[in-house]
């Protein structure tokens, strides 16, 4: 097929390799604009290496952007990790319209932080969805889904990179095969099961140590690596990573029980939480809790709030 690829990061770069391996004609690649002072996006880098036509629009809303898209005469657009709004008329321009990847079991967890909210809300399974996008946010008919269990200590990072990323790439080939065969499903999403959550930011990431061990554990792993769940220590934000919940409560919630080579152990209402990495703002570096203890910043008996 003649395919337009819209995306970013390693996922889109890998999707590009799948399209090439299938023998599809990649008529254009749309990558995000360059960030100031940052490394080039992996999709841009790979497209340039392959000498593919490349654009980096900040928006698809203009008339010129629409006309350019139409002129590509594509059979299909593949949206692989897209974070900007693509208008419906652009999505519908290719002969077979467009398909889009989403790292949840739609209609559950629509929105840009699907993996984080999957963990925050304590789901025990998740999956990937390829769907036919429309003017809504993750609302179009479903083409293909695959379900997977969530491991007890999965973080947002591990769940994405170890499970959902490879599963999304694997199922892209399956989705394209269904389209080529002319029997690709268009299953309307059941709105009675739909949820939509905002981008997971600091306003959602503050730890309440008075909550259950399960809730605290889920929040910390959902915000790992970004934005990093946090509490305050002597007026400074302490970011918490790599949690493990343990049975038994040993003190007032938020109290530091121990600091050793295993990590930082904190009392909760009905359990304790062991945190194996921390970051004390404004430092950009994650360290073992024992390292902060050696510097005098962490002390047994201190209380996080």
């Amino acid at each position: 097929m003649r395919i337009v690829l819209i995306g970013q990061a390693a996922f889109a770069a890998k999707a590009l390799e799948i399209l090439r391996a299938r023998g599809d004609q990649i008529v254009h690649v749309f990558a995000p604009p360059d960030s100031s002072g940052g490394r080039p996006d992996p999709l841009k880098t790979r497209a340039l290496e392959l000498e593919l036509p490349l654009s980096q629009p900040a928006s698809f809303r203009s008339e010129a952007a629409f006309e350019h898209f139409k002129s590509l005469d594509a059979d299909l657009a593949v949206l692989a990790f897209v974070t900007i709004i693509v208008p419906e008329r652009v999505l519908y321009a290719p002969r077979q319209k467009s398909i889009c990847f989403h790292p949840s079991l739609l209609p559950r967890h629509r929105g840009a932080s699907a993996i984080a909210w999957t963990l925050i809300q304590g789901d025990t399974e998740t999956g990937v969805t390829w769907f036919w996008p429309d003017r809504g946010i993750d609302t179009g008919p479903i083409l293909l889904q695959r379900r997977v269990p969530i491991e007890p200590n999965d973080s947002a990072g591990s769940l994405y990179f170890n499970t959902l990323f490879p599963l999304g790439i694997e199922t892209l080939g399956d989705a394209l095969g269904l389209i080529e065969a002319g029997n690709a499903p268009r299953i309307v999403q059941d709105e009675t099961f739909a949820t939509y959550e905002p981008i997971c930011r600091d306003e959602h990431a503050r730890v309440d140590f008075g909550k259950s061990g399960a809730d605290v554990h889920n929040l910390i792993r959902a915000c790992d690596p970004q934005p990093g769940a946090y509490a305050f220590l002597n007026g400074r934000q302490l970011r918490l990573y790599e949690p493990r919940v343990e049975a038994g409560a040993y003190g007032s919630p938020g109290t530091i029980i121990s600091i050793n080579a295993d990590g930082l152990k904190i009392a909760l209402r009905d359990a304790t939480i062991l945190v194996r990495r921390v970051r004390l703002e404004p430092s950009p570096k994650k360290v073992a809790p024992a390292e902060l203890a050696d510097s005098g910043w962490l002390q047994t008996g201190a209380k996080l709030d």
Side-chain angles (χ1 to χ4, degrees):
M1 290 186 286
R2 291 175 55 83
I3 292 182
V4 172
L5 177 62
I6 309 173
Q8 63 184 3
F11 186 85
K14 190 66 176 178
L16 176 57
E17 297 301 335
I18 293 296
L19 298 175
R20 292 181 67 243
R22 279 174 32 88
D24 293 303
Q25 183 180 357
I26 304 162
V27 296
H28 207 87
V29 173
F30 291 93
D34 294 335
S35 59
S36 58
R39 289 183 295 179
D41 186 88
L43 177 59
K44 174 187 177 178
T45 299
R46 190 64 181 128
L48 291 175
E49 290 172 351
L50 297 171
E51 299 182 338
L52 295 172
L54 172 73
S55 297
Q56 295 176 267
S59 170
F60 285 94
R61 295 182 183 278
S62 70
E63 192 66 28
F66 175 58
E67 292 300 327
H68 176 218
F69 208 90
K70 282 200 306 181
S71 73
L72 299 173
D73 190 33
D75 293 314
L76 182 74
V78 174
L79 280 64
F81 193 5
V82 176
T83 57
I84 64 173
I85 298 296
V86 181
E88 190 175 44
R89 64 176 183 167
V90 173
L91 295 171
Y92 287 7
R95 277 178 285 278
Q96 300 267 17
K97 299 184 180 180
S98 303
I99 62 170
C100 183
F101 169 76
H102 191 73
S104 83
L105 295 171
L106 291 175
R108 188 158 171 79
H109 303 306
R110 293 170 177 167
S113 292
I115 300 173
W117 290 103
T118 294
L119 294 175
I120 289 172
Q121 295 181 16
D123 293 4
T124 57
E125 73 167 0
T126 185
V128 299
T129 303
W130 285 96
F131 69 104
W132 305 92
D134 55 20
R135 70 179 61 188
I137 297 176
D138 304 327
T139 56
I142 292 169
L143 165 57
L144 178 153
Q145 285 187 327
R146 292 287 187 273
R147 294 176 177 267
V148 289
I150 298 173
E151 296 300 321
N153 288 313
D154 263 327
S155 67
S158 69
L159 184 56
Y160 176 64
F161 286 108
N162 297 342
T163 302
L164 300 182
F165 183 127
L167 186 60
I169 294 300
E170 175 188 328
T171 51
L172 171 58
D174 297 336
L176 294 171
L178 289 170
I179 293 170
E180 278 190 320
N183 57 1
R186 293 176 181 265
I187 303 168
V188 176
Q189 294 188 36
D190 186 342
E191 292 297 319
T192 62
F193 294 102
T195 66
Y196 174 83
E197 295 91 14
I199 295 175
C200 184
R201 296 190 172 100
D202 265 7
E203 62 192 276
H204 311 106
R206 185 169 181 177
V207 178
D208 179 354
F209 294 104
K211 289 192 172 182
S212 71
D215 286 344
V216 172
H217 179 246
N218 287 338
L219 178 66
I220 296 174
R221 66 193 185 120
C223 297
D224 183 356
Q226 292 293 336
Y230 69 92
F232 283 96
L233 174 67
N234 298 326
R236 290 175 65 177
Q237 276 186 326
L238 183 70
R239 305 273 179 180
L240 310 173
Y241 306 93
E242 300 181 25
R244 299 290 185 270
V245 68
E246 300 179 355
Y250 305 96
S252 176
T255 301
I256 297 175
I257 299 169
S258 64
I259 310 164
N260 54 37
D262 292 331
L264 170 69
K265 187 173 289 190
I266 307 165
L268 304 177
R269 186 187 75 204
D270 62 350
T272 61
I273 195 85
L274 178 71
V275 177
R276 299 196 291 182
R277 305 288 285 178
V278 295
R279 182 166 68 84
L280 185 63
E281 297 282 10
S283 171
K285 184 181 177 182
K286 298 177 187 176
V287 299
E291 185 175 328
L292 274 187
D294 289 342
S295 69
W297 269 102
L298 281 179
Q299 296 177 345
T300 301
K303 193 165 184 179
L304 302 176
D305 57 25

